[in-house]
């Protein structure tokens, strides 16, 4: 993609000279390899799509190109978006730019690392249960997950359709706002995209926090949270209070059920979404020259990695006759309750603040053999997607090992503008407070 | 022990929309394999479905026509299974919440005996592609996939187990075919697969209400095939049960050539489709106002029209059924009747000449050059005595070939009826003179020979003579001869 980017850059230079450049002219963007780009290899971090070239481009890619952004490359990821450490890529792990011994977070680890290491100014990722916010936290960059339906999913290779949403990595709120503005909006090719006006996020930045009510859920600050993260949050709250915001103690008791509901729903959807990778029409086929069933089994057994297979099996199980009500339907009920719980919470505050992750980036290999431990690292990020809400992870200094800390803000649906304003405010004021 | 037959039918109808259920590809029949596909219906990674509004409208039309409750909120669900002609690995269908619930269709197994077959539900779904094995260009163990059909909109009409005989099943299916054609939502062609039917059948002792063990019959390619397969299965199950045996629940494939149903391989039966709501599609919301609009746009339905014809036009039940079978012919008849006050004559014209002509030319009513106005005009010409009834048939064929107006055709063919008594008097006299033997017998008392003279006179006029005038003249002349004899 490098050559075509250079070519495009020359073209954009001319456009700039002629005064006709798009809003993202000069913006260098990396794109997670889960988004389709026409005639470009689109692997989803999977062996099964190792040689797959997409016949079409994702809506978000088209929208970036329309505004003259320069897409410089595809980024590595956990296979099909399944993972929290980026160790689940068929093409090797991504390493954390702050410490190559540590994971960058996942599943959009490549996009987070690309922005953290300044290979790109912004990057697109996708967030199903935290796949943008968690790596953003671990890599010390901004990571926004917009409201479900704000950004078209057409061309985003589905992991869990009711949770997937394209997200943005950047160094600052302004870049994030510009990209969000460009990629948002109704798309007739995505029935779940919402037909509502897109505010001009970038020109709306700038705020005063006086009177702002920030909710702090008590459930986010129990055992398991790394001490330095707690400290940073306390400092941030103090700063906000000093400047006129009020900190509201709130309760989100269903947080504990988030992981269970999330992993039932996302695996159920994944088991169906990933059925198309069967070796028949595209992607790798492993044909033992026996019968169709063997071709399916070999192709999928060897084409998918361990975590993907684990989730397909789990999802197949929860949708099976006799288990559907006990698992899938119950998880959907929990999801509805979580949504209600957020609705009620937003009656008492304008925004919810908490940690993005329970710990900073752990070491490569540390949790890979303990899927449950790995899943639990998503505890703070899975509930916003279950409720369809926008959330952002903001870099908030480092821990004693020098690893970045992320703080998460969650807003009511379609309030990305508020998230970005407060993000900008926090970034400005944290510097002056030396946070 | 006597058994009662219990049958339920699942009928799939391909909707004749311009494009597919969830993408913009054409569904025209007979295109080159895989030429009518796009990333969406090919199930490429990352694509999403968008519902075809016309398909929804067609489902609503059918639902309203068979008295269903149209659901304001219905849900698309995924039916998961692996097959090479199913690109996504799931079929988008409706499961727990279909678009139509309830409803019924009346059938008449014997004249005057009306049976109500309840409809359980109608739901929308997409068709799968086709696996092709048996073409010359395919080598022995290969299967090729044609995905042109994949994504074609379907409705599935599921009956309650209310059907009590293979004949009723045939009649029910016939009614459904008539209805989908009538509504213009499906061409109803079972041979090409645009209408497909699976049947569930079980027997139970007469007088009991519990359902017996059922079998499912598939692979019937015609309406008669459905009737034959069910007849076969009634006999088979009756034999098993009469001997004290038990019917095994299984799927049977109808083999038309062999005239029997054979069990499908057991392995393919243990499917758990793992239905769940499709997260790529929001619930299907059908506004009440829109349903009302669709209802108002429905044509008069076949049974209503038939009842009106028998009541208002005095048509027999049989005639009304024949004329009402096809919407085009039915509308044609209505157009003729609008311009004539003689519906029965109009009916005879259509059941006689029009249907004969369509049959001979193997064409549809829309291609017939004789327009409804021509028929009403011909009826008037006959009534006024301008042409004879037999000449009118010749005129009809002429119009069918040339598209001339009836007046022009009559003139061209020189078939204007002769009613002038002096002109016909000479002709009648000549017939009497030319047939001395017959005359002798007639005068001797053989009255039946009157018809012979009429026939001869009509022939001599090449059908142009007004038969009434000929008869009057003949009677006058022959009576005069009889009187002079005595």
């Amino acid at each position: 993609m490098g050559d075509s980017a250079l070519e495009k850059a020359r073209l954009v230079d001319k456009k700039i000279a002629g005064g006709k450049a798009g809003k993202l002219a000069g913006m260098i963007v990396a794109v997670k390899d889960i988004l389709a780009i026409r005639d470009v290899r689109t692997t989803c971090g999977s062996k099964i799509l190792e040689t797959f070239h997409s016949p079409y481009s994702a809506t978000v890619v088209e929208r970036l190109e329309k505004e003259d952004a320069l897409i410089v490359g595809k980024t590595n990821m956990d296979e099909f978006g399944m993972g929290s450490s980026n160790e689940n890529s068929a093409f090797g792990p991504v390493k954390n730019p702050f410490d190559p011994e540590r994971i960058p977070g996942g599943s959009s680890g490549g996009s987070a690392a690309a922005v953290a290491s300044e290979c790109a100014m912004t990057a697109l990722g996708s967030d199903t249960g935290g796949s943008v916010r968690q790596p953003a936290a671990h890599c010390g960059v901004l990571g926004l997950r917009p409201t479900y339906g704000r950004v078209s999913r057409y061309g985003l290779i589905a992991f869990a359709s009711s949770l997937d949403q394209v997200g943005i990595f950047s160094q600052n709120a302004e870049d994030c706002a510009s990209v969000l503005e460009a990629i948002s909006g109704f798309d007739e090719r995505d029935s779940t995209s919402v037909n509502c006006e897109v505010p001009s996020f970038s020109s709306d930045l700038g705020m005063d926090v006086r009177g702002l009510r920030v909710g702090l859920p008590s459930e986010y600050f129990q055992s398991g949270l790394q001490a330095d993260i707690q400290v940073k949050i306390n400092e941030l709250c103090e700063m906000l209070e000093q400047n006129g915001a009020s900190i509201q103690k709130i309760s989100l008791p269903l947080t504990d059920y988030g992981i269970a509901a999330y992993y039932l729903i996302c695996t159920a959807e994944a088991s169906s979404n990933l059925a198309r990778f069967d070796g028949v029409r595209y992607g790798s086929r492993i044909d033992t020259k026996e019968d169709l069933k063997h071709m399916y089994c070999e192709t999928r057994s060897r084409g998918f990695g361990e975590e993907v297979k684990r989730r397909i099996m789990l999802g197949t199980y929860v949708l099976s006759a006799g288990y559907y009500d006990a698992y899938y339907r119950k998880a959907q009920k929990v999801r509805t309750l979580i949504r209600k719980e957020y609705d009620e919470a937003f009656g008492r505050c304008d925004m919810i603040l908490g940690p993005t992750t329970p710990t900073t980036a752990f070491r490569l290999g540390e949790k890979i053999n303990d899927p449950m431990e790995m899943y639990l690292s998503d505890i703070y990020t899975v509930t916003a997607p279950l409720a369809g809400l926008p959330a952002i992870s903001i870099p908030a200094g480092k821990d004693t090992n020098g690893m970045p800390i992320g703080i998460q803000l969650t807003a009511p649906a379609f309030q990305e503008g508020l998230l970005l304003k407060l993000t900008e405010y926090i970034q400005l004021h944290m510097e002056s407070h030396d946070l | 022990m006597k058994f009662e037959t219990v049958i339920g039918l699942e009928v799939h109808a391909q909707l004749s929309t311009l494009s597919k259920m969830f993408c913009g590809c054409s569904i025209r029949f007979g295109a080159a394999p895989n030429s009518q596909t796009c990333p969406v219906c090919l199930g490429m990674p990352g694509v999403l479905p968008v519902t075809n509004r016309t398909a929804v409208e067609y489902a609503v039309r059918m639902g309203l026509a068979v008295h269903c409750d149209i659901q304001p909120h219905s849900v698309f669900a995924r039916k998961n299974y692996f097959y090479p002609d199913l690109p996504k690995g799931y079929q988008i269908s409706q499961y727990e919440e279909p678009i139509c619930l309830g409803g019924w269709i009346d059938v008449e197994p014997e004249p005057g005996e009306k049976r109500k077959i309840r409809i359980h539900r109608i739901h929308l779904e997409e068709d799968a592609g086709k696996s092709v094995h048996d073409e010359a260009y395919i080598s022995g163990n290969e299967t090729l996939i044609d995905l042109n059909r994949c994504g074609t909109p379907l409705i599935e009409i599921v009956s309650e187990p209310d059907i009590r005989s293979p004949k009723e099943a045939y009649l029910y299916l016939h009614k459904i075919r008539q209805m989908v054609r009538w509504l213009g939502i499906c061409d109803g062609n079972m041979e090409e697969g645009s209408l497909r039917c699976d049947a569930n059948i079980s027997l139970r002792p007469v007088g009991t209400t519990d359902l017996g063990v059922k079998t499912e019959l598939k692979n019937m390619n015609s309406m008669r095939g459905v009737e034959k397969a069910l007849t076969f299965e009634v006999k088979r199950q009756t034999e098993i049960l009469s001997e004290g045996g038990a019917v095994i629940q299984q799927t049977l494939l109808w083999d038309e050539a062999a005239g029997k149903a054979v069990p499908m391989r057991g392995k393919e039966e243990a499917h758990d489709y793992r239905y769940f709501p499709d997260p790529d599609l929001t619930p299907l919301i059908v506004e009440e106002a829109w349903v009302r609009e669709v209802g108002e746009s429905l044509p008069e339905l076949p049974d209503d029209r038939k009842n009106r014809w028998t009541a208002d036009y005095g048509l027999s039940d049989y005639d009304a059924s024949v004329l009402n079978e096809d919407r085009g012919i039915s509308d044609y008849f209505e157009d003729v009747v609008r311009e004539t006050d003689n519906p029965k004559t109009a009916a005879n014209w259509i059941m006689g000449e029009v249907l004969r002509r369509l049959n001979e030319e193997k064409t549809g009513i829309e291609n017939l050059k004789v327009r409804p106005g021509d028929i009403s005009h011909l009826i008037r010409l006959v009534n006024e005595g301008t042409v004879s009834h037999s000449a009118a048939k010749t005129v009809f064929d002429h119009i069918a070939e040339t598209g001339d107006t009836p007046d022009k055709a009559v003139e061209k063919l020189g078939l204007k009826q002769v009613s002038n008594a002096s002109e016909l008097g000479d002709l009648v006299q000549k017939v009497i003179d030319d047939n001395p033997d017959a005359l002798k017998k007639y005068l001797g008392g053989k009255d039946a020979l009157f018809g012979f003279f009429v026939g001869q006179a009509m022939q001599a006029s090449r059908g142009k003579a007004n038969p009434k005038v000929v008869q009057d003249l003949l009677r006058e002349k022959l009576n005069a001869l009889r009187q002079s004899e005595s």
Side-chain angles (χ1 to χ4, degrees), chain B residues 188-436:
Chain B
N189 190 328
M190 278 195 82
E191 286 74 19
E192 280 178 11
S194 41
L195 196 69
R196 305 194 282 268
C197 176
D198 299 335
N200 288 302
I201 171 166
S202 62
L203 302 186
R204 64 185 172 200
V206 168
T208 59
T209 52
D210 288 349
L211 291 170
V213 176
K214 68 173 181 183
T215 55
E216 187 177 5
L217 285 164
K218 286 177 179 285
N219 200 39
M220 291 84 80
N221 299 317
S222 68
M223 295 203 302
R224 286 294 170 204
V226 172
E227 190 178 12
K228 274 193 270 182
L230 285 167
T231 306
F232 169 90
E233 187 56 11
V234 169
K235 185 160 173 274
R236 193 185 72 89
Q237 290 192 12
T238 306
E239 281 167 11
I240 292 172
L241 294 174
S242 302
E243 287 162 12
V247 173
I248 302 165
Q249 181 162 351
Q250 60 185 339
T251 301
L252 304 165
L253 293 181
W254 176 243
D255 183 337
E256 178 75 34
K260 62 178 185 182
V262 291
M264 201 161 141
R265 276 181 298 141
K267 241 182 8 186
E268 294 173 29
E269 288 199 33
H271 267 312
D272 175 356
Y273 291 118
R274 306 187 321 275
Y275 282 99
F276 75 107
D278 190 336
D280 286 332
L281 291 160
T282 51
L284 182 59
I285 304 298
V286 175
E287 307 279 347
E288 208 186 316
W290 186 58
V291 173
R292 213 177 305 122
E293 213 175 285
V294 173
E296 281 160 8
S297 75
L298 286 186
E300 184 180 25
L301 297 177
D303 281 358
D304 298 337
R305 187 172 268 189
K306 191 179 138 186
N307 292 338
R308 181 166 60 79
W309 286 353
T310 50
D312 295 0
Y313 300 164
L315 296 192
S316 72
D317 214 59
Y318 175 80
D319 287 359
S321 299
V322 171
L323 288 171
N324 213 24
E325 171 65 31
D326 172 86
R327 168 100 181 271
I329 289 169
S330 180
D331 286 350
Y332 188 97
F333 172 68
E334 282 283 288
D335 289 343
V336 176
V337 170
R338 202 163 297 129
E339 294 179 45
T340 177
D341 44 15
N342 206 334
K344 277 188 173 171
T345 312
N348 287 335
W349 267 98
I350 291 163
M351 289 192 296
E353 300 313 300
V354 172
L355 292 183
R356 172 185 59 79
R357 188 89 204 176
L358 295 181
N359 212 12
E360 280 169 13
E361 291 182 5
K362 303 210 181 319
T363 184
I365 190 92
E366 64 283 0
N367 297 320
L368 188 69
K369 285 184 180 153
V370 188
R371 300 318 306 152
D374 299 335
I375 301 280
S376 51
H377 197 90
L378 276 173
I379 293 172
R380 195 156 55 241
L381 290 179
V382 173
N383 287 346
E384 287 166 354
T386 312
V387 293
S388 68
H389 185 67
S390 66
K393 290 182 180 178
T394 313
V395 174
F396 174 89
D397 279 324
H398 178 85
I399 301 172
E401 267 144 44
T402 62
D404 283 344
T405 64
D407 289 340
K408 194 170 174 193
V410 169
E411 195 189 312
K412 260 196 193 168
L413 296 168
L415 284 177
K416 192 157 188 181
Q417 188 161 261
V418 180
S419 306
N420 182 307
S422 68
E423 212 173 303
L424 290 178
D426 295 347
L427 185 131
V428 165
Q429 190 58 52
K430 188 159 182 300
V431 166
I432 295 170
D433 294 346
D434 287 354
N435 293 284

Side-chain angles (χ1 to χ4, degrees), chain B residues 121-135:
Chain B
R121 59 187 274 163
I122 300 177
H123 64 253
L124 273 162
E125 59 187 27
E126 57 173 349
D127 210 344
K130 262 183 191 159
S131 297
V132 190
H133 327 269
D134 48 2
E135 298 291 338

Side-chain angles (χ1 to χ4, degrees), chain A residues 52 56 153-155 157 161 188-192 272-273 275-276 281-282 292 296 316 319-321 324 328-329, chain B residues 42-50 78 80 82-84 87-90 96 272 274-277 279-282:
Chain A
F52 177 72
Y56 74 100
R153 290 187 296 117
Y154 187 77
I157 297 174
S161 314
E188 59 179 14
R189 290 174 295 188
D190 176 1
S191 310
T192 62
S272 175
N273 282 331
R276 68 190 62 196
R281 293 161 310 283
Y282 50 76
L292 180 66
Y296 282 152
T316 303
L319 288 177
S320 296
Y324 183 92
Y328 182 77
R329 207 188 293 276
Chain B
L42 290 175
M44 284 290 168
V47 297
L48 296 169
V50 177
R78 295 185 183 177
N80 295 285
F82 283 95
Y83 207 69
K88 301 189 295 297
Y90 57 85
E96 285 185 340
D272 175 356
R274 306 187 321 275
Y275 282 99
F276 75 107
D280 286 332
L281 291 160
T282 51

